[in-house]
Amino acid sequence: MNKNKQNIRIGILGVNGRMGRILVQACIHAGRNITVAIGRIGSACIGKSLADFLNLESTDHHLFNVMINDDLSAVIQDCDVVIDFTTAEALATHITICHQAKKPIIIGITGLSEQLTEKIKIAAQEIAIVHSGNYSIGVNLSVDLVRIAAQLLSQNEYAQAFEAEIIEAHHRHKIDAPSGTALMYADAIAQARQQQFADIAIYQRHGAVGERHHQSIGLQAIRGGDIVGEHSVFFFGNDEQIEIKHVANNRMNFAVGAVRAATWVSNQPCGLYDMNDVIKN
Ligand SMILES: NC(=O)c1ccc[n+]([C@@H]2O[C@H](COP(=O)([O-])OP(=O)(O)OC[C@H]3O[C@@H](n4cnc5c(N)ncnc54)[C@H](OP(=O)(O)O)[C@@H]3O)[C@@H](O)[C@H]2O)c1
């Protein structure tokens, strides 16, 4: 399959969601062709055209011909790649449908179980999948910054005293914690130190927790209001501290990255990719 990127037919799953709506806007801005739109069964958006749903004014827009459906299996052949920012529960079904139809999928959903992660790996033996906890270009590049910082600090005798802590903040509706992005930063630190992240992660502190273990990586999640996503990675030393910080001002940066991934993956062989593969190839 060698497709002209302008002609790729994209399916957006969860068009009624915060990310779903922005993904449609990102496709329009990038001149990408949306041919499939999926909402939740029972949602008020089902049966409407995507253009009516979005209140587009120009009546000749092709999105007036894209009707929002609640059954991906019925329309999967009308698209070349799907982008899924729905829920973990919905993803379990979407993966099966994409696997059977041999369609690539971009997965943005966070907070996946081990079982679902395994299902993704199995499907990736036969279809191309991009799976990332964060599709922002800035976040993915800053994960490299964190990795380099952790490497440099662990190689220096004085700097080995620095201790890593991650604080993330998101809006009140986010249902998983810590964020997929915080886990990406933590994993990069653990890899740089040649540690297993699961062995050294500290997810919360409460009560008589004792002194901090030098090698642990602390992850704290705060929730409230309409915060899109903020991450601070700290390396605390004696008398000084280093902070690497990323702030998402809005959701468009995630959507632009996911649309870029959809364009990229449509020419890739089967396999499991992440946003680094998209950015660096
Ligand atoms: N990787 C990244 O870069 C990134 C960035 C931002 C967010 N995320 C993740 O993306 C996910 C979605 O976030 P969000 O803020 O957009 O959440 P959201 O606003 O709750 O959107 C989820 C949408 O999925 C819809 N949905 C649920 N089940 C469905 C099904 N079976 N078929 C079709 N649609 C279904 C919901 O429909 P109703 O509206 O009808 O309930 C809702 O509109 C979360 O896991 C979040 O953490 C990832």
Side-chain angles (χ1 to χ4, degrees), residues 16-19 39-40 85-86 90 108-110 132-135 174:
N16 193 33
R18 282 176 287 271
M19 280 303 301
R40 184 180 48 77
F85 281 73
T86 57
I109 303 151
T110 57
S132 177
N134 197 308
Y135 281 89
K174 186 164 177 61

Side-chain angles (χ1 to χ4, degrees), residues 113-125:
S113 65
E114 276 181 30
Q115 193 185 9
L116 193 47
T117 306
E118 194 53 35
K119 186 168 181 162
I120 292 169
K121 283 184 192 159
I122 291 169
Q125 292 169 9

Side-chain angles (χ1 to χ4, degrees), residues 103-257:
K103 299 286 181 183
I105 178 168
I106 308 302
I107 300 170
I109 303 151
T110 57
L112 307 186
S113 65
E114 276 181 30
Q115 193 185 9
L116 193 47
T117 306
E118 194 53 35
K119 186 168 181 162
I120 292 169
K121 283 184 192 159
I122 291 169
Q125 292 169 9
E126 295 189 286
I127 58 174
I129 297 178
V130 182
H131 180 203
S132 177
N134 197 308
Y135 281 89
S136 141
I137 309 292
V139 159
N140 281 276
L141 294 177
S142 67
V143 170
D144 282 348
L145 290 177
V146 167
R147 184 179 292 106
I148 292 166
Q151 263 162 4
L152 290 174
L153 293 170
S154 63
Q155 285 161 8
N156 182 291
E157 198 179 334
Y158 162 77
Q160 281 169 1
F162 282 71
E163 293 167 328
E165 293 280 326
I166 299 170
I167 301 179
E168 56 101 335
H170 281 87
H171 54 91
R172 65 171 74 89
H173 302 291
K174 186 164 177 61
I175 57 173
D176 57 307
S179 68
T181 311
L183 293 171
M184 287 163 64
Y185 286 125
D187 200 42
I189 296 167
Q191 279 179 25
R193 295 172 170 178
Q194 300 180 326
Q195 297 168 326
Q196 289 297 321
F197 168 61
D199 298 341
I200 51 172
I202 302 290
Y203 291 108
Q204 59 178 328
R205 296 183 178 97
H206 179 234
V209 295
E211 280 192 14
R212 185 189 199 287
H213 187 274
H214 172 59
Q215 288 294 334
S216 59
I217 301 175
L219 294 103
Q220 307 299 323
I222 56 177
R223 297 285 177 266
D226 59 358
I227 304 167
V228 175
E230 301 189 8
H231 294 84
S232 285
V233 180
F234 295 95
F235 295 97
F236 292 110
N238 297 320
D239 310 317
E240 57 185 332
Q241 57 184 265
I242 298 166
E243 179 181 359
I244 297 174
K245 181 168 185 167
H246 180 274
V247 177
N249 295 333
N250 56 54
R251 291 180 174 79
M252 188 52 96
N253 66 113
F254 310 129
V256 166

Side-chain angles (χ1 to χ4, degrees), residues 59-101:
T59 51
D60 61 0
H61 203 289
H62 84 278
L63 295 183
F64 278 99
N65 298 321
V66 178
M67 308 309 287
I68 303 174
N69 202 303
D70 59 12
D71 180 5
L72 178 61
S73 64
V75 289
I76 185 84
Q77 293 306 338
D78 295 339
C79 65
D80 300 313
V81 54
V82 304
I83 305 178
D84 193 346
F85 281 73
T86 57
T87 63
E89 193 183 16
L91 174 63
T93 306
H94 296 156
I95 280 284
T96 302
I97 295 169
C98 289
H99 192 178
Q100 285 170 352

